[in-house]
Amino acid sequence: MNRLGTYTGNGVVLTYQIGENAPALSYTGKQSTSATLPSLSAKKMGGYYYWPAGQNNDDPDVCAALIKGNRLLPSLIEKQVAILYGTGPMLYTEKINDDGTVSRHYLKDPEIQAWLESWQAAGVPNSYKEYLRKNIRSYYYSEGIYSQWYLAKGLSIGLKGIKPVAGLRHISELRVRLATTQDIARKKDVEDNDFNFVLVGNWAASSTQQEFKVFPRFNHMSPLAKNGAISYSKNANYESDIYATNVFFEGIKGWIKGCNATPEYINSFLENSLSARHHIIIPNAWYNAKKNSLEELCQLNAKKKAEGAADSELIKIKVGSDEMVVGTEYSELLLDKYVNMELRALTNFLAGRAKNQGKTYATRSFINENGDLESWKIEEIPQKYKEYIEALITYDKRADMVLLSAKGIDPSISNITSDGTISKSGADAYYNYIIYLTQQAIPEDVVCADLNLAIAMNFPEKYASGIRIGFHRPSVQRQEEISPNDRLKNQQQ
């Protein structure tokens, strides 16, 4: 039986403790006492050793679930997706200007565009635009992207003039783990290039190799060696070069959990009165006496059973309207059940205030080992409804500020300020938007890395001339340096 807890019944919620001295509260989860990162090792599944995604191999799922359950983060991430995607993917070349700045020249290439538009006709599950949108979303959730390579039919028999890459398919990071056939379970220094296979499946529900598909990992030295190979592009972490992770997530995980729970706290308080109005102190002497009594009753029942008594003849205990068969063997569960019967009887008493008015809930007093009298105590808990709700709202606002700052999106872009109102400053929005655009080089490089490699393999001459694929974004210019008709605010009218 927990020494400290809550009990709910008949519309009454109470807290209880066993003994006058309240037990010290502690976290149920294991807390790290070291500043060092937890060590991981490869796990074996069938003939493969895979690298787990975190201590419980569920970091991507935990991250996705917490973000999905948050009222701000999904929309913030979608805003980041939309900003990076811009007006869509487009081919470009870059030029270094005389002043040292770099500018993009967007272009149309009919041959490359025809190949991009042919993906689904060639058997690739997604279009190139859908592939890139999924890549962007994966980047903002995990900063890593898995792509499956579909090679052209006829490549293996050496057809001339064929483009080797038919297209790319996005694979969700929730379904992927890197693996190898080498025994690296005890290897101290594990690197990204140790893994040459990829296991794909439902890691939240599956546990055997038969439930996973095994693919070769894409080999940049022999890119056309295996059809269906999977590559992994990422923004590598500081502490590990195997899996990328969301840089903001670990630091604000606690805030996300608290923010997600706030509506539940408020709704529970309003709907179910979960702010208990009574605290019950159960004396240790009573608790120990009942324990001894139940042990003796179990011994008596065991003796009666040995003498041939039927189950219906064994000793039972009745508390209020509840009846419990004691049985022949004592356990802590039996004592828990009995205490719960007493608490249920007490909640019945507290729930019937009108009919119980003027009555007293009777409990026996007990003498403890020191000769002192101990009895049950029912204490009123002061109800501070206003303070409770205001405290939750204050925490919620602080959590919003933490989440917004962690994502690095200015309120003028996110349309959310610290007090939850919408930012309406056009100048702030524009200049912060321009600043934000200058920070998109790394996300775009990771998102488009495999597609640009595919362009290099299919169109080596054009790739050598500097043609790349990226996302169309407005150039970064001061508004006063642009003619009035070409300014952003006039283009949007």
Side-chain angles (χ1 to χ4, degrees), residues 425-435 437 473-493:
S425 172
D428 283 350
Y430 176 74
Y431 284 108
N432 284 309
Y433 174 67
I434 293 300
I435 293 171
L437 287 183
R473 298 191 296 270
S475 59
V476 179
Q477 291 177 280
R478 292 166 57 90
Q479 288 292 279
E480 55 265 34
E481 297 174 353
I482 305 174
S483 63
N485 291 334
D486 293 331
R487 290 177 184 174
L488 182 65
K489 64 178 182 179
N490 295 326
Q491 294 177 21
Q492 296 175 331
Q493 291 178 352

Side-chain angles (χ1 to χ4, degrees), residues 107-118:
L107 57 91
K108 291 184 178 180
D109 185 292
E111 188 180 12
I112 296 178
Q113 192 63 38
W115 168 69
L116 292 171
E117 300 290 350
S118 72

Side-chain angles (χ1 to χ4, degrees), residues 21 75 83 86 209 444:
N21 296 322
S75 61
I83 292 175
Q209 183 184 327
E444 187 183 63

Side-chain angles (χ1 to χ4, degrees), residues 6-17:
T6 61
Y7 184 86
T8 305
N10 296 292
V12 174
V13 181
L14 53 83
T15 62
Y16 70 86
Q17 71 181 64

Side-chain angles (χ1 to χ4, degrees), residues 343-392:
L343 292 173
R344 190 177 299 116
L346 180 55
T347 59
N348 288 337
F349 172 82
L350 294 173
R353 287 181 180 167
K355 63 182 180 181
N356 290 326
Q357 210 165 30
K359 297 181 180 180
T360 304
Y361 181 75
T363 59
R364 292 183 181 179
S365 298
F366 289 80
I367 304 297
N368 63 23
E369 58 188 10
N370 298 323
D372 299 323
L373 184 69
E374 290 187 10
S375 61
W376 283 51
K377 294 181 181 179
I378 303 176
E379 298 179 345
E380 286 279 346
I381 300 176
Q383 299 297 292
K384 297 184 178 180
Y385 302 103
K386 183 174 181 291
E387 290 85 346
Y388 178 73
I389 298 296
E390 286 181 347
L392 290 175

Side-chain angles (χ1 to χ4, degrees), residues 60 63 67 77 80 134-146 170 173 232-238 240 242-250 406-407 442-443 445-447:
C63 179
I67 290 176
I77 289 177
Q80 289 182 294
K134 288 182 177 180
N135 280 7
I136 298 173
R137 196 165 285 108
S138 282
Y139 179 86
Y140 285 118
Y141 271 87
S142 70
E143 301 201 16
I145 296 163
Y146 294 94
H170 171 272
E173 61 271 24
Y232 184 34
S233 299
K234 61 190 175 183
N235 185 22
N237 285 353
Y238 171 74
S240 170
I242 298 178
Y243 294 128
T245 57
N246 200 317
V247 292
F248 76 86
F249 180 71
E250 282 298 324
K407 289 300 294 176
I442 292 177
D445 282 349
V446 177
V447 166

Side-chain angles (χ1 to χ4, degrees), residues 34-262:
S34 172
T36 60
L37 296 167
S39 60
L40 297 177
S41 59
K43 307 295 182 184
K44 193 173 191 299
M45 179 183 289
Y48 296 89
Y49 291 86
Y50 70 90
W51 193 255
Q55 288 291 97
N56 299 315
N57 193 32
D58 62 355
D59 279 5
D61 298 276
V62 170
C63 179
L66 285 176
I67 290 176
K68 183 179 179 180
N70 188 264
R71 70 178 186 278
L72 285 180
L73 288 177
S75 61
L76 288 176
I77 289 177
E78 289 308 306
K79 187 176 289 291
Q80 289 182 294
V81 171
I83 292 175
L84 181 57
Y85 191 78
T87 58
M90 191 173 293
L91 297 170
Y92 69 91
T93 58
E94 288 185 336
K95 175 185 177 183
I96 301 178
N97 302 313
D98 294 337
D99 60 358
T101 60
V102 178
S103 59
R104 283 187 175 183
H105 171 65
Y106 293 98
L107 57 91
K108 291 184 178 180
D109 185 292
E111 188 180 12
I112 296 178
Q113 192 63 38
W115 168 69
L116 292 171
E117 300 290 350
S118 72
W119 282 20
Q120 290 177 297
V124 181
N126 47 236
S127 68
Y128 80 99
K129 289 184 177 180
E130 181 184 3
Y131 164 77
L132 288 172
R133 287 194 297 268
K134 288 182 177 180
N135 280 7
I136 298 173
R137 196 165 285 108
S138 282
Y139 179 86
Y140 285 118
Y141 271 87
S142 70
E143 301 201 16
I145 296 163
Y146 294 94
S147 299
Q148 187 172 31
W149 291 71
Y150 282 67
L151 302 184
K153 295 177 182 179
L155 182 66
S156 59
I157 58 176
L159 290 179
K160 293 184 178 180
I162 193 170
K163 304 300 179 187
V165 181
L168 301 171
R169 175 193 178 192
H170 171 272
I171 305 292
S172 170
E173 61 271 24
L174 302 180
R175 299 175 52 79
V176 176
R177 300 294 184 271
L178 300 179
T180 179
T181 54
Q182 299 177 7
D183 185 355
I184 59 170
R186 298 181 182 179
K187 188 176 179 180
K188 298 298 183 182
D189 185 19
V190 180
E191 297 179 315
D192 177 271
N193 57 13
D194 288 326
F195 301 96
N196 54 357
F197 290 96
V198 178
L199 302 182
V200 179
N202 186 350
W203 291 91
S206 304
S207 58
T208 63
Q209 183 184 327
Q210 288 73 21
E211 297 173 313
F212 292 89
K213 295 179 180 179
V214 181
F215 296 95
R217 189 169 177 192
F218 183 82
N219 187 340
H220 286 79
M221 296 180 65
S222 303
L224 303 178
K226 301 286 185 179
N227 191 14
I230 295 177
S231 58
Y232 184 34
S233 299
K234 61 190 175 183
N235 185 22
N237 285 353
Y238 171 74
E239 73 275 6
S240 170
D241 70 343
I242 298 178
Y243 294 128
T245 57
N246 200 317
V247 292
F248 76 86
F249 180 71
E250 282 298 324
I252 62 170
K253 186 191 294 185
W255 285 99
I256 299 175
K257 290 180 179 178
C259 186
N260 291 358
T262 299

